[in-house]
Amino acid sequence: MHYNGIIFDFNGTLFFDTDLHVQAWDQISFELTGKHLTKQDLLTKYWGLPNADLIHAITNHTLTDTECMEISRKKEALYRSIAKSDRNSVLAPGAIDFFTYLNQHNIPFTIATASIKENVDFYIHHFHLDQYMDTNTIVFDDGNYKSKYQMYQQAIQNIHNPSHTVIFEDSINGVLAANHTGSKVIAIQSDELKTRLEYIPNLGSTIHDFQNITHLLDNLSD
């Protein structure tokens, strides 16, 4: 076994929710500008931007920061409403079995996500995460982190600094941040990463989901 700690990103990694965010942003965009926001435009122009920056971009900076903050809260509440009503809102294939395996083998794991507290609370309740992990170790956007790299550093500390950590990510910026921690990184093959994998150094592997993941991990090179 070449690992003794696991960190998961959440959105796009444990929960394939890109289309849910697209629906929410499209509705917000139409309310603000009278124009729809397509999935292609969102992924190619705005994906990965903080909510406030995205709102400024689609409104040509006509709103105040306070207004953007209120719209951001509205968007996230809309996203949670869509996710709650979507019968396909389940964790990625193989994730629950992997959680069970990690617990059976006493391998610590947690989540580091750029999501806000309200979303994390929703995930904990909706997916019953507290049945599988200590949710107090989850790192999220509480205003104390300047980068995903810092979030991953804190998450590693939260599971007591295992010497061999594996981080699962789906975004290019997240993968690069995880790389900087010195951890082994495994990428979920997202739309964003498909054409950029060759430019990512020290990538352990790429996967579609968590089915058969233990076999892959046991065969990772040091």
Side-chain angles (χ1 to χ4, degrees), residues 3-221:
Y3 60 97
N4 53 20
I6 300 288
I7 310 291
F8 298 95
D9 173 52
F10 195 81
N11 304 95
T13 299
L14 283 174
F15 182 31
F16 298 159
D17 60 348
T18 296
D19 288 342
L20 307 182
H21 284 287
V22 171
Q23 291 180 53
W25 277 121
D26 177 54
Q27 183 169 325
I28 292 296
S29 174
F30 191 77
E31 290 177 4
L32 292 174
T33 69
K35 298 179 181 179
H36 287 288
L37 184 61
T38 67
K39 181 176 181 178
Q40 181 178 1
D41 280 345
L42 184 62
L43 293 178
T44 58
K45 296 179 181 179
Y46 307 118
W47 203 240
L49 288 177
N51 283 5
D53 291 346
L54 195 158
I55 293 164
H56 276 306
I58 65 175
T59 59
N60 294 316
H61 297 273
T62 56
L63 301 176
T64 67
D65 289 344
T66 299
E67 288 172 327
C68 286
M69 186 177 298
E70 289 301 316
I71 293 168
S72 175
R73 292 195 187 99
K74 180 178 180 180
K75 179 266 168 182
E76 295 303 332
L78 177 60
Y79 156 79
R80 292 192 298 273
S81 176
I82 294 171
K84 185 176 181 179
S85 62
D86 190 330
R87 61 190 301 176
N88 295 316
S89 289
V90 296
L91 292 179
I96 296 298
D97 287 341
F98 189 30
F99 291 168
T100 301
Y101 173 89
L102 294 173
N103 284 323
Q104 289 174 342
H105 290 78
N106 297 312
I107 299 169
F109 67 95
T110 193
I111 292 166
T113 172
S115 291
I116 59 175
K117 183 180 187 301
E118 290 84 352
N119 286 2
V120 172
D121 289 342
F122 167 73
Y123 302 144
I124 292 170
H125 176 76
H126 185 74
F127 298 116
H128 308 290
L129 295 178
D130 54 348
Q131 294 183 13
Y132 308 101
M133 61 180 295
D134 178 2
T135 57
N136 292 317
T137 65
I138 295 176
V139 178
F140 57 91
D141 183 9
D142 60 1
N144 291 320
Y145 305 100
K146 295 181 180 179
S147 67
K148 194 64 181 287
Y149 167 68
Q150 291 184 351
M151 288 185 167
Y152 279 131
Q153 284 186 309
Q154 183 62 57
I156 291 169
Q157 290 181 34
N158 287 359
I159 58 171
H160 307 296
N161 297 294
S163 55
H164 297 283
T165 304
V166 176
I167 297 177
F168 292 91
E169 253 288 355
D170 74 300
S171 73
I172 183 67
N173 289 331
V175 168
L176 293 175
N179 253 325
H180 285 313
T181 69
S183 303
K184 184 70 72 174
V185 183
I186 295 179
I188 305 293
Q189 292 192 25
S190 65
D191 292 339
E192 180 189 8
L193 282 175
K194 284 179 181 177
T195 60
R196 306 177 72 177
L197 289 174
E198 62 185 289
Y199 303 108
I200 301 174
N202 305 316
L203 189 64
S205 185
T206 59
I207 59 174
H208 292 286
D209 54 44
F210 296 95
Q211 297 180 97
N212 302 313
I213 190 62
T214 55
H215 176 74
L216 183 152
L217 288 174
D218 287 340
N219 288 280
L220 277 180
S221 60

